């Protein structure tokens, strides 16, 4: 885990990979600039947990640092330790999950900022700071209405017994449950609740919004915004056109093509049976590569030469391959070793995800290790 990308590069079987995962770092930078512009009064952080939503925490963090980003969020202490080695000591790294008891000194020695999510975590941090006679920095998370991380409204009176002078309160944060639905009443309730609870703590920089929250308006911005998904091209405003630039392009290679007559089964379970003469292409991506089984008979691919023609995925998705219907393409338009797009500008990730009953977030974090990853 010392370098998450090294781990990926050292995989032996990507030289002849059947698929390419292209990651556009300049599009991530452009998305960062767009988000920063949307919340001009706030600082824009970058959430790079889960290896940068599986796209590569290290190259992404390096690129965003060039863009002026100086605040990074990860979920786990291990992720923070790996990230620290490529950032400077002035860059802030926040650990969203807080700390398991006993790891306080590892965290502080690497100059990482834990987000303390419970009274127990706060007590442990204070004890650690007192032992060290140092006011180490930490953030505190408040639960403003989604019952996940943070100190809840029913515990708020207990906060007055906390000796806030024992540590450096670097951030007060909370997280929105329904920010992708702009008129959801919970957005307003959580905003109100966050403002109220925040007053029970000493003054400190505040943060409420992830990607979608940024688009709710400036009341939700506070001092620091925390986008992840939008940086990676996922639409933060699902009911409107995507304001972000496409980042990820997944291309699968054609292994073989064939013609089938009417009344012929395709794939496991014979879930698809032809009604007419068809031309098919077998593509070397399967569910072991994170292309989920739920996309079988639902999603589509595109050939890059004829992006206006959807190529339906037919039959069930296998572990290492899937089948597409290329009957609508001109004869001989697609050959062995040609690429077809499965995610990208012509197959928007949110759209493909919806066909399989999931979301872009899950699609990204499911992508496997067998792709040749190309950064540009
Ligand atoms: C993952 C996460 C984010 C980033 O969310 P996106 O919707 O990807 O922008 C921000 N804050 C917290 C607490 C998170 O867990």
């Amino acid at each position: 885990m010392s370098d998450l990308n090294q781990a990926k590069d050292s995989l032996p079987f990507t030289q002849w990979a059947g698929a390419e995962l292209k990651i556009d770092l300049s599009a991530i930078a452009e998305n960062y600039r767009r988000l920063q512009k949307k919340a001009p009064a706030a600082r824009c952080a970058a959430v790079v947990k889960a290896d940068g939503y599986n796209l590569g925490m290290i190259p992404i963090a390096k690129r965003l640092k060039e863009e002026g980003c100086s605040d990074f969020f990860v979920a786990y202490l291990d992720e923070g330790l790996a990230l620290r080695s490529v950032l400077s000591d002035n860059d802030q790294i926040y650990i969203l999950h807080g700390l398991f008891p006993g790891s306080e000194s590892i965290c502080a020695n690497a100059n990482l900022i834990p987000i303390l999510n419970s009274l127990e975590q706060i007590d442990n941090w204070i004890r650690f700071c007192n032992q060290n006679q140092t006011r180490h920095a930490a953030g505190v998370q408040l639960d403003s209405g989604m019952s996940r991380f943070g100190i809840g409204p029913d515990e708020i009176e207990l906060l007055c017994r906390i000796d806030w002078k024992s540590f450096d309160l670097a951030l007060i944060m909370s997280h929105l449950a329904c920010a992708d639905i702009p008129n959801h009443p919970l957005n307003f309730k959580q905003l109100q609740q966050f403002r109220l609870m925040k007053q029970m703590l000493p003054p400190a920089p505040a943060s409420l919004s992830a990607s979608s929250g940024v688009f709710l308006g400036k009341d939700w911005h506070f001092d620091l915004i925390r986008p992840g998904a939008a940086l990676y091209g996922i639409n933060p405003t699902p009911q409107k056109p995507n304001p972000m630039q496409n980042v990820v392009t997944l291309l699968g290679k054609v292994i073989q093509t064939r013609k089938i007559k009417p009344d012929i089964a395709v794939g496991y379970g014979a879930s698809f049976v032809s009604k007419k003469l068809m031309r098919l292409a077998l593509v070397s991506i399967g569910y072991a590569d994170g292309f989920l089984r739920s996309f079988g008979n639902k999603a589509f691919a595109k050939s890059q030469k004829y992006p206006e023609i959807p190529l339906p995925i037919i039959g069930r998705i296998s572990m290492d391959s899937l089948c597409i219907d290329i009957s609508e393409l001109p004869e001989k338009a697609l050959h062995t070793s040609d690429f077809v797009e499965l995610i990208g500008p012509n197959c928007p990730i949110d759209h493909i995800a919806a066909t399989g009953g999931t979301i872009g977030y899950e699609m990204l974090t499911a992508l496997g290790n067998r792709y040749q990853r190309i950064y540009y």
Side-chain angles (χ1 to χ4, degrees), residues 29 157 255:
E157 315 86 72
I255 306 169

Side-chain angles (χ1 to χ4, degrees), residues 47 49 53 96 141 148 173 175 210-212 226-230 361:
V47 179
K49 63 192 180 191
Y53 292 41
L96 286 168
Q141 175 144 223
R148 199 175 64 163
M173 63 169 275
H175 193 56
S211 296
S212 294
R226 312 184 307 269
Y361 294 69

Side-chain angles (χ1 to χ4, degrees), residues 256-267 270-282 312 314-315 323-327 331:
Q256 67 178 97
T257 57
R258 71 162 77 237
K259 286 185 178 142
I260 58 169
K261 296 199 166 104
D263 204 29
I264 300 293
V266 178
S271 69
F272 182 92
V273 176
S274 61
K275 295 197 179 69
K276 53 182 173 75
L277 188 75
M278 294 179 84
R279 281 183 294 123
L280 308 181
L282 190 66
I314 58 170
C323 186
I324 56 174
D325 173 7
I326 57 168
S327 309
E331 193 103 24

Side-chain angles (χ1 to χ4, degrees), residues 38-305:
K38 200 82 199 148
R43 250 165 38 233
C44 186
V47 179
V48 294
K49 63 192 180 191
D51 197 13
Y53 292 41
N54 204 11
L55 300 176
M57 173 179 77
I58 301 293
I60 290 168
K62 281 183 174 164
R63 184 66 187 81
L64 288 178
K65 200 171 145 50
E66 286 171 29
E67 245 16 79
C69 181
S70 184
D71 298 88
F72 297 86
F73 285 83
V74 293
Y76 294 109
L77 178 57
D78 288 304
E79 296 176 323
L81 293 169
L83 185 55
R84 175 53 79 207
S85 63
V86 297
L87 295 179
S88 70
D89 248 11
N90 303 327
D91 299 316
Q92 261 105 226
I93 302 173
Y94 306 86
I95 313 293
L96 286 168
H97 277 196
L99 298 172
F100 290 108
S103 58
E104 289 84 3
S105 64
I106 310 275
C107 184
N109 287 342
N111 187 24
L112 307 173
I113 304 174
I115 301 297
L116 308 173
N117 292 305
S118 64
L119 291 166
E120 189 191 356
Q121 286 186 350
I122 296 178
D123 285 341
N124 289 344
W125 192 251
I126 288 177
R127 192 171 327 113
F128 167 71
C129 288
N130 290 344
Q131 275 163 10
N132 256 11
Q133 301 191 333
T134 311
R135 296 177 70 247
H136 293 292
V140 167
Q141 175 144 223
L142 304 172
D143 169 27
S144 56
M146 78 177 286
S147 309
R148 199 175 64 163
F149 292 94
I151 289 149
D154 51 331
E155 296 171 306
I156 198 82
E157 315 86 72
L158 300 173
L159 288 177
C160 55
R161 68 163 173 76
I162 286 177
D163 177 17
W164 294 105
K165 286 186 289 301
S166 305
F167 68 98
D168 169 18
L169 182 60
L171 189 71
I172 303 173
M173 63 169 275
S174 187
H175 193 56
L176 297 167
C178 303
D180 56 337
I181 308 163
N183 291 324
H184 200 291
L186 196 51
N187 293 328
F188 301 90
K189 257 175 100 173
Q190 284 198 265
L191 174 62
Q192 213 175 14
Q193 184 69 7
F194 183 56
R195 281 181 175 149
L196 221 101
M197 289 176 80
K198 197 160 77 63
Q199 284 168 10
M200 315 285 282
L201 278 67
S207 176
L208 180 60
S209 284
S211 296
S212 294
V214 174
F215 293 84
L216 291 176
K218 69 175 179 0
D219 281 355
W220 281 263
H221 294 163
F222 293 92
D223 304 302
L224 184 76
I225 55 171
R226 312 184 307 269
L231 290 171
Y232 311 122
I234 289 173
N235 188 355
T237 58
Q239 293 148 340
K240 291 191 196 164
N242 192 349
M244 312 320 296
Q245 198 172 312
N246 186 72
V247 169
V248 177
T249 305
L250 177 62
L251 302 173
K253 266 188 190 174
V254 173
I255 306 169
Q256 67 178 97
T257 57
R258 71 162 77 237
K259 286 185 178 142
I260 58 169
K261 296 199 166 104
D263 204 29
I264 300 293
V266 178
Y268 283 118
S271 69
F272 182 92
V273 176
S274 61
K275 295 197 179 69
K276 53 182 173 75
L277 188 75
M278 294 179 84
R279 281 183 294 123
L280 308 181
L282 190 66
V283 180
S284 64
I285 289 184
Y287 63 76
D289 304 299
F291 211 77
L292 310 174
R293 278 181 90 247
S294 53
F295 297 140
N297 288 315
K298 297 229 173 72
F300 55 84
K302 291 278 181 78
S303 94
Q304 292 188 300
K305 205 156 152 208

Side-chain angles (χ1 to χ4, degrees), residues 295 298-300 346-358 360 363:
F295 297 140
K298 297 229 173 72
F300 55 84
N346 304 304
C347 302
I349 186 164
D350 300 288
H351 189 144
I352 301 293
T355 68
T358 184
M363 265 185 92

